[in-house]
Amino acid sequence: MRKPNPYHLFKAYNKLKDSVILGVGANCGESLVRFWKLLKRLSCKNVIIATSPILKNPAFGYTEQPDFYNKIIWLKTRLGIADFWSFCAYLERYFGRERKRPFKNAPRTLDLDIIAFKGKHIILGDLEIPHRAWSERQSVWIPLTHCN
């Protein structure tokens, strides 16, 4: 069964066939400052179309940690999926994310999730697009609906 299409939440979704929806989250250190720096880094290789307001959400999974800040970034890229995924991993490392976490759902300096990529359905190793849990997370669908 196909996953729901996150592009349908946008009023002009038929114009989004070549765009990307990126979910951003963080709950360690100066998350809000990091979000602004992330936008600057992202805009070096991509065109930022819109961003959602930043939401503060309680952690899920492991709840004994600070709340998360979340936002959605809608952008256009010339990169293919493998290069874009690699670029996102680079940005997470650049902003201090450890790939090996002490436990599942541990606090993070930056978490980038590719929610949707150019309207495609992709399974590439651990990468699944649309993101497998996007529609279950308020931290994604609430900002997504405010990103028009």
Side-chain angles (χ1 to χ4, degrees), residues 24-26 31-39 54 69 71:
V24 182
S31 300
L32 301 178
V33 172
R34 196 172 304 111
F35 282 8
W36 288 111
K37 291 179 179 180
L38 171 67
L39 283 173
I54 296 171
Y69 290 97
K71 75 181 302 164

Side-chain angles (χ1 to χ4, degrees), residues 59-109:
F60 61 89
Y62 174 68
T63 58
E64 298 298 317
Q65 61 180 317
D67 289 343
F68 273 83
Y69 290 97
N70 297 98
K71 75 181 302 164
I72 297 295
I73 301 171
W74 172 24
L75 57 94
K76 288 193 180 249
T77 187
R78 292 183 178 192
L79 299 174
I81 184 57
D83 289 334
F84 188 77
W85 190 25
S86 177
F87 182 56
C88 288
Y90 159 77
L91 290 170
E92 287 179 335
R93 284 189 313 274
Y94 179 84
F95 287 107
R97 178 167 177 179
E98 300 285 330
R99 287 315 309 168
K100 288 232 174 204
R101 294 178 282 172
F103 52 90
K104 185 176 177 156
N105 297 318
R108 294 181 282 294
T109 58

